[in-house]
Structures are given as structure tokens and as C-alpha cells.
Amino acid sequence: MLRMTDGKKLGFATRTIHEGQAPDAATGALNVPIYLSSTYQHSAIGKNKGYEYSRLTNPTRDALEECLRSLEGGTSAHCFGSGMAAITALCTMMKSGDHVVCAFNVYGGTQRVFDQVLVNYGITFSYVDMMDLAALRAAIRPETKLVHLESPSNPLMTVTDIRAVVGVCRESGVEVSVDNTFMSPYLQQPIELGADIVMHSTTKFLNGHSDGLGGVLVGTKPEHDERFRFVQKCTGGILSPFDSYLLLRGIKTLSVRMEKHDANGRVVADFLAKRLGTEHVYYPGLKTHPQHELAKRQQKGFGALMSFETGSLTAADDFLKRLKLCALAQSLGGVETLMSHPATMSHASFSAEERARMGITDGLVRISVGLEDVEDIVADLEQALG
């Protein structure tokens, strides 16, 4: 880890630019080279310069992983080809007979891989409201190995008290993993709050430019490093050198981007609350949000994600078709403002009954507020709302 000469850790923004990214020894290049080589020369049997084959390790990916490790405050980081590849790798810590407790309001793809893929290997999953600590405590069994949550949740922006969840899990020796995609390490530090593992879809705010898929697991124990490195080696779902470069480039501006995302998000949320009523807008930055005070304590800001209710599928479709600047598209966290319809996009794999139980209606629309001039974003929303 980079430190000042007096031993103090460098600031967050400084580490986004420099951690793991020393000038190239051969040329002095300030950007980490894209090492496209799949293999590396050995000087003799069993002798190499630290690299053998790029599925195992690659200099560009190594630089990225060191940077992400530092930003999340972990002891190791391992990058994968997508966020879903990362969540799948996380579950390789389990074996047949093990049990995972998961937040009931996670991303639809997470529950899909749990309930339609990993259950076939003898792992069982339970879903609870993580704000109900009694329910969480009751869900933990002797065979429970992991509790997994997102905060804020997708798409209703429910904030979970991470420190409180960790406290319950410590009673039983169960590890806690947190999907920190919505906040990024700039706005939230789950490991500081006691989490054992942090995951991201790096496709989102970490990349920030909607031009590269990826995922990462940041661990805090030697066994995390050993296990996730072994999974990279054995399954091969690693991040490519070029995508590693794109992600490193995006991370360099993470601090300034998240500040702008957060500032724009607050303005857009205020506009929607005045236009539609606060009861129809889900954003932790609104004082009427039920976890507003918790978000203030746990997060550095409120971020760019929010959802609002239009009233029906027809109303949502009409609104989305009238947009001129904002784009209806999958994903979030890019420089452009992205709109999504959770019922038919991120949570389409849930049944209508499951979505209703989660509070996801056919009229719900999610916004990932981008970096455009906020007056232009608001104007587009205003005209589309009619």
C-alpha cells in the first residue's frame, strides 16, 4: 500500500490514481501497459519473472486488483469477467449441505443464480428482510456459512444497517458479504463497518463509462485470497487485460464522478419528490426516506440511484418513450443518465407475486442519474412526465 513518508495512508482520490500503478520500469509510462500476452518466457525449468500464464496472473489485472484492494480496505482483490461471475465465485466457498442467508430484495440475477443454478449443487438459500434482525437471527442455522446483502437495495433503495447485521452474524461465526455496487467504495466502506467480503459489478460506477463488463471480490482473510485466486485459476472466468485497463482508467476519476453523481442525484430526487410527492420517490437522500438517518451515518453521500412510481405499466411505458436525453437501457453507473423498468428488466426473473411482495410494481421506474448538466436531466424528466 502506498503511504506518505511519515507512514500515513494516502487519501482515497490519490490512491485511485496511483495505487498499484507505479510508472512502467522499462519506459516510464504513467499508464499501466495493456499486457495482451497469454504466456510468458521461462528462463529455465521452474524459473520465471513472476508470470506464467494470463489465466493465472496478468500484470494489468494485478495492478487493478491492488488498486481495488486498497480502495475497499481489504487484504486481497480478485477480478472476474462480470459481476455475476464474481457472485458465483463467492459461492465456491460453499459445499453441498451449506446454507446461505440472503437479503430478500437483492438484484434479480443474484437470486436467479442462487435458486436456479447453485441449488443444484446442494447449497440451500433462505431470504429475509435484513432490517429485521430477529428474522435474520432466526434464519441462521448451524450449517449457515454466509449472509449476503446489498445496501442500498435494487431498485427500492432500502438501506441495511451493515454494522448491525455483522453483529448478529458474529454471534454465530457467520461471514458477511456486501454488494457495494450502488455506492462504490467512495461513498461506502462495508469492510470498515465489519463486512468480511465486498463484491462489485465493476461494470457500473467503478468503470463509469458503460464500456466494460467486470466484477470483483475484495476479501479480508488469507483464506479469501487463497480461495478466490484458486477459482480464477481453475474456472478461468477472469477479467481480460483490456477490460482491466478500461477499469483502471475509469477508477482514476471515481472520486470526482461520484461527487457529481451524488450532487445531480439529490437535485433530481428533490424535483421528483416535488413533482410526484415524496411517497412515490425512493431515495435515501430524502428526509422522508425511512432509512435517511442510517444512510447519513453509514454512507458518505446518497448516490445517483433512485426509483419512482408512475402508477401503471402503461404510464411507465408512456413516460419512458417520451424521454429525449435519458436512455432506457440495462445497467447503471455510467456517465449518461440511464432509465430502467425493473419489472421487465432487472427483476423480470421474479414472478409477479414475488415482485409484489418486494414492492416492485409494474409502474416503478429506476433512474441512474448521470453527469450531464442537471438542468438538462430535469428538463427531460419534466417533459416526459407531461
Side-chain angles (χ1 to χ4, degrees):
M1 177 182 289
L2 288 172
R3 293 186 180 274
M4 299 292 285
T5 53
D6 60 2
K8 292 181 180 179
K9 184 171 72 173
L10 294 173
F12 187 94
T14 303
R15 285 181 285 131
T16 65
I17 298 166
H18 296 286
E19 191 74 72
Q21 303 168 72
D24 181 59
T27 65
L30 292 179
N31 282 308
V32 175
I34 306 172
Y35 288 91
L36 294 175
S37 184
S38 61
T39 191
Y40 306 84
Q41 183 181 32
H42 292 220
S43 59
I45 293 175
K47 294 184 178 180
N48 58 61
K49 296 182 178 180
Y51 294 93
E52 301 177 63
Y53 190 60
S54 277
R55 174 163 45 82
L56 312 180
T57 51
N58 173 276
T60 313
R61 194 174 80 237
D62 283 356
L64 169 64
E65 290 175 341
E66 173 58 19
C67 184
L68 288 170
R69 179 210 61 74
S70 173
L71 297 182
E72 279 289 5
T75 58
S76 65
H78 297 87
C79 288
F80 298 87
S82 68
M84 291 311 304
I87 196 77
T88 303
L90 172 67
C91 289
T92 63
M93 295 193 303
M94 312 302 139
K95 63 181 185 301
S96 180
D98 286 345
H99 174 243
V100 176
V101 179
C102 182
F104 81 102
N105 50 3
V106 291
Y107 166 57
T110 298
Q111 186 166 344
R112 182 171 58 234
V113 76
F114 285 176
D115 289 352
Q116 298 183 40
V117 178
L118 296 176
V119 292
N120 298 321
Y121 297 90
I123 305 169
T124 56
F125 298 87
S126 299
Y127 297 90
V128 301
D129 179 356
M130 292 289 171
M131 295 302 293
D132 185 344
L133 297 180
L136 171 61
R137 188 175 281 109
I140 294 174
R141 313 169 187 168
E143 65 269 25
T144 303
K145 296 296 188 292
L146 182 72
V147 167
H148 179 72
L149 63 97
E150 300 173 3
S151 186
S153 68
N154 181 10
L156 291 173
M157 305 305 294
T158 300
V159 180
T160 295
D161 190 334
I162 297 172
R163 197 182 297 277
V165 168
V166 169
V168 171
C169 294
R170 290 289 182 266
E171 297 170 6
S172 305
V174 176
E175 290 193 327
V176 177
S177 61
V178 176
D179 185 335
N180 200 28
T181 298
F182 271 29
M183 285 288 97
S184 87
Y186 183 72
L187 292 180
Q188 182 170 263
Q189 294 269 299
I191 290 173
E192 282 190 3
L193 298 169
D196 299 285
I197 300 168
V198 174
M199 72 142 298
H200 287 268
S201 169
T202 62
T203 310
K204 313 304 194 294
F205 288 108
L206 287 168
N207 172 283
H209 296 78
S210 302
D211 60 4
L213 296 175
V216 67
L217 295 173
V218 181
T220 59
K221 301 175 181 178
E223 53 264 38
H224 298 154
D225 184 19
E226 180 180 351
R227 182 63 185 174
F228 300 145
R229 188 178 303 279
F230 187 69
V231 172
Q232 285 181 322
K233 173 182 177 179
C234 293
T235 66
I238 45 84
L239 197 64
S240 75
F242 187 70
D243 283 322
S244 296
Y245 162 78
L246 288 177
L247 188 48
L248 273 170
R249 179 220 54 187
I251 288 171
K252 288 178 186 291
T253 59
L254 180 64
S255 297
V256 291
R257 285 190 291 105
M258 294 310 298
E259 289 282 355
K260 181 66 171 175
H261 278 301
D262 184 67
N264 280 2
R266 297 181 193 218
V267 173
V268 170
D270 286 342
F271 160 74
L272 289 172
K274 292 173 183 176
R275 181 71 165 73
L276 303 174
T278 55
E279 69 273 19
H280 298 302
V281 182
Y282 305 93
Y283 182 68
L286 295 175
K287 293 182 179 179
T288 53
H289 189 282
Q291 293 96 40
H292 175 71
E293 292 301 321
L294 172 60
K296 285 173 63 177
R297 295 195 306 271
Q298 185 167 279
Q299 303 164 188
K300 184 179 175 182
F302 302 112
L305 272 295
M306 66 197 70
S307 295
F308 68 93
E309 182 59 54
T310 65
S312 69
L313 179 62
T314 299
D317 191 40
D318 289 344
F319 163 76
L320 292 166
K321 287 190 292 189
R322 284 195 292 265
L323 292 167
K324 306 295 184 184
L325 176 69
C326 307
L328 174 61
Q330 298 275 10
S331 200
L332 58 102
V335 294
E336 58 283 299
T337 296
L338 299 174
M339 317 290 291
S340 76
H341 183 246
T344 60
M345 297 171 82
S346 62
H347 288 71
S349 60
F350 289 88
S351 68
E353 292 75 19
E354 288 173 320
R355 290 196 298 272
R357 190 163 57 248
M358 296 169 69
I360 300 172
T361 68
D362 286 347
L364 190 72
V365 172
R366 190 191 73 193
I367 310 177
S368 173
V369 180
L371 305 185
E372 301 95 340
D373 291 309
V374 72
E375 298 84 2
D376 295 331
I377 301 171
V378 169
D380 194 32
L381 296 175
E382 177 70 65
Q383 66 82 23
L385 286 167

